[in-house]
Amino acid sequence: MKALRYTPSLPRFFGARLLGKRFPKALLPLRLEEVPLPERAGFQRVRVHLAGVCGSDLALLYGKSPPTISPFFSFPAVLGHEILGEVEGEKVAVNPLLACADRGLPPCPMCQKGEEGLCQNVAEGDLAPGMLGYNQDLPGGWGEWVLARKERLYPIPQGVPDERAVLAEPLAVVLRGLGKSRPWPEEVLILGMGTIGLMAVRLLRALGYLGRVHAVAKYPHQAERARAFGAEKVYGSAREALQERARRYRYLLFEGYRGGYPWVVEASGSGKGFREALALAEEGGKVLLLGAPGLEWADLSPFWFKEVALVGSYTYTREEFGEAVALLRELQGLESLVGGIFPLEAWQEALSVRGKALFRP
């Protein structure tokens, strides 16, 4: 089958890490190739209909992924873990996790609790490390087919457009994070109005959150969409949001703030965003990390000086994934996050698009 396969290259890794988005896309370690589709007992063939480009995919390609998590993925691999597929004429969202049950292992303590996203055996068993999209044994969604167990396939509700249905996987991550942050304070500031941040705004309102939603948006089109999704106040920068709510103090060359927001959702996935989120949280507040910053410096004093609490969301349980799929029906407008749909051959263009890029194999 035709697929986009990532093959690690140290020179390209360091080049991309140094230059970031200025690194020539033609030199990224990604190639369109003919890849054999394996057969595996207990796994079904799923024809890929659409597959998303995630921020974590871009972090991998541009050398921004945290090196400490690299042993839990395996390459070369066909990327793509946000997958809308089709089985016998039925559209399905694919849960890409490969936990104990998928690996032919007895359940670890986390899987016994239903926390498959925290499976302790993601690098064990008779499968290579990693979930679909980061696994050298099973292809991800940037190809024509994937393999998945029946339990990992979730039928799409009637009437949901494909461009919304393919967002089930990142929506499940956001849903889990918001759930872990309960009880919700009366106000929230969401930092970063990319796909994840805008999903958080939209999902909060769909879940009945009646508090004030503040947002930090870098670009005017993001600010406009944030307001349309339910944000009441939109700031052009984290500093602007901080100065709106916190008191500034100076000593010699240094400055600090008191006050801020009771709940900050960091959705930019950058080290800068993480540092800003810690500064924006008020005393005794909490920070939800939805983005995925890698190796970055940060002032950790807010954890003890302001007693800020930190919680993260990486994946989901089966139930959370199913709830996200069920919510798709009422999340009208979510498909507006899609910036374009591309054939696999146009992958360089897809990686340059503003908004969420999708592949249609």
Side-chain angles (χ1 to χ4, degrees), residues 252-276:
L252 299 178
L253 300 177
F254 311 104
E255 67 176 31
Y257 291 83
R258 293 304 269 181
Y261 300 83
W263 181 21
V264 180
V265 177
E266 203 303 289
S268 73
S270 68
K272 179 183 177 185
F274 177 54
R275 294 189 291 272
E276 291 172 339

Side-chain angles (χ1 to χ4, degrees), residues 138-355:
L138 298 177
W142 294 8
E144 296 175 303
W145 296 86
V146 296
L147 296 179
R149 294 168 60 242
K150 185 177 181 180
E151 293 82 358
R152 298 288 184 204
L153 306 179
Y154 294 73
I156 299 299
Q158 189 109 17
V160 173
D162 292 351
E163 291 85 349
R164 192 190 312 167
V166 74
L167 301 176
E169 195 276 341
L171 183 66
V173 175
V174 176
L175 179 68
R176 175 176 175 82
L178 297 181
K180 290 173 71 174
S181 301
R182 290 180 185 269
W184 294 332
E186 294 181 357
E187 290 185 286
V188 58
L189 174 75
I190 303 176
L191 185 60
M193 288 293 103
T195 300
I196 295 296
L198 287 166
M199 275 188 177
V201 175
R202 183 70 180 87
L203 186 55
L204 270 173
R205 292 310 191 196
L207 293 174
Y209 181 69
L210 300 177
R212 253 179 100 75
V213 177
H214 305 259
V216 174
K218 188 175 181 180
Y219 302 108
H221 73 277
Q222 294 177 333
E224 181 181 347
R225 191 158 291 152
R227 292 188 186 95
F229 278 5
E232 295 174 83
K233 179 77 173 179
V234 182
Y235 303 97
S237 69
R239 188 169 188 84
E240 182 184 339
L242 184 64
Q243 291 174 341
E244 177 80 8
R245 293 292 295 272
R247 300 187 304 276
R248 178 173 173 263
Y249 297 88
R250 285 189 63 84
Y251 175 71
L252 299 178
L253 300 177
F254 311 104
E255 67 176 31
Y257 291 83
R258 293 304 269 181
Y261 300 83
W263 181 21
V264 180
V265 177
E266 203 303 289
S268 73
S270 68
K272 179 183 177 185
F274 177 54
R275 294 189 291 272
E276 291 172 339
L278 294 181
L280 285 160
E282 70 178 14
E283 293 69 30
K286 58 185 175 182
V287 172
L288 168 61
L289 196 61
L290 288 180
L295 284 178
E296 299 282 352
W297 71 269
D299 177 4
L300 302 182
S301 63
F303 292 122
W304 58 269
F305 188 61
K306 296 197 297 181
E307 297 190 4
V308 171
L310 178 68
V311 64
S313 179
Y314 167 58
T315 52
Y316 27 73
T317 64
R318 294 190 194 191
E319 292 75 19
E320 287 162 342
F321 198 99
E323 185 180 351
V325 171
L327 281 166
L328 287 169
R329 192 196 303 273
E330 56 190 277
L331 290 173
Q332 294 87 356
L334 208 63
E335 59 272 22
S336 65
L337 301 179
V338 174
I341 302 176
F342 302 86
L344 296 174
E345 292 82 359
W347 64 269
Q348 293 183 45
E349 184 182 353
L351 298 185
S352 305
V353 72
R354 188 176 77 177

